[in-house]
Amino acid sequence: MDSPDIAASADKVVTLYLQEVKKYGLDNVALLTPYRKKTETGANALNLRLRDLVNPPAPGKPEAAHGKRVFRVGDRVMQTKNLGEVNNGDVGYIKDIFRDTDGTTIRVNFGGGREMEYDSTQLPMLDLGYASTVHKSQGSEYQSVIVNLQRSHYIMLTRPLVYTAITRGKSRVILVGEKRALYTAISRTDAEKRGTCLAKRIRNS
């Protein structure tokens, strides 16, 4: 979907994410972007928008603030560093937030019997996990993947990045942004020589 305006692209990917989650379920949808912090289509900004739509605040639903970030029971979160049985990039859900004399503790269920508790000094290891960078998605697969590519992402636009994003999707991949950004990425073969046949795959999709 061609969308040169970044704000319009952000609105579009949020709408598509909710649509795909309704169809496939939250665990089976990924929203990927090249940047974490830059613009409205960065993972950080998208995570805040999506969290308040997917897991809005409610009376009696515990929350915990850490700096400018707020975590809420029910939030989908991503681990950003290896810690015990949990690896960088693993995704789980906040099951409980409780406070005692030692401060605030957050309990996260990562599935497979893996539960971790985080005190305030460990919370920097957690990010919201509704949207993520393409880099963080490596090794994971989803039924539906939404990818945002804008010309403002120029530094990150490479063939391997687009290839990684597209190959995360098992059933469906939706590209939102600028066609010129996609063409730029495909043409930048100097970043890494890989025989991916990416251009042919996109033409045939």
Side-chain angles (χ1 to χ4, degrees), residues 75-152:
D75 275 344
R76 179 180 169 90
V77 292
M78 177 179 286
Q79 180 78 11
T80 60
K81 292 183 179 180
N82 294 336
L83 179 66
E85 296 182 344
V86 182
N87 298 316
N88 183 7
D90 284 355
V91 174
Y93 292 87
I94 295 178
K95 307 305 292 184
D96 196 11
I97 297 174
F98 53 92
R99 297 170 178 82
D100 55 27
T101 55
D102 295 325
T104 300
T105 300
I106 292 180
R107 180 180 295 125
V108 180
N109 184 353
F110 288 95
R114 298 176 304 157
E115 283 201 352
M116 295 287 295
E117 291 189 354
Y118 299 80
D119 61 30
S120 58
T121 66
Q122 296 169 316
L123 289 182
M125 297 183 186
L126 290 179
D127 277 336
L128 292 175
Y130 302 96
S132 73
T133 63
V134 176
H135 175 73
K136 283 288 186 183
S137 73
Q138 294 184 76
S140 301
E141 288 187 326
Y142 303 87
Q143 291 298 324
S144 177
V145 171
I146 304 160
V147 185
N148 174 246
L149 297 173
Q150 308 286 157
R151 294 191 73 198
S152 61

Side-chain angles (χ1 to χ4, degrees), residues 2 46 59-60 68 86 160 186 191:
D2 198 25
L46 290 171
K68 294 182 179 180
V86 182
I186 293 173

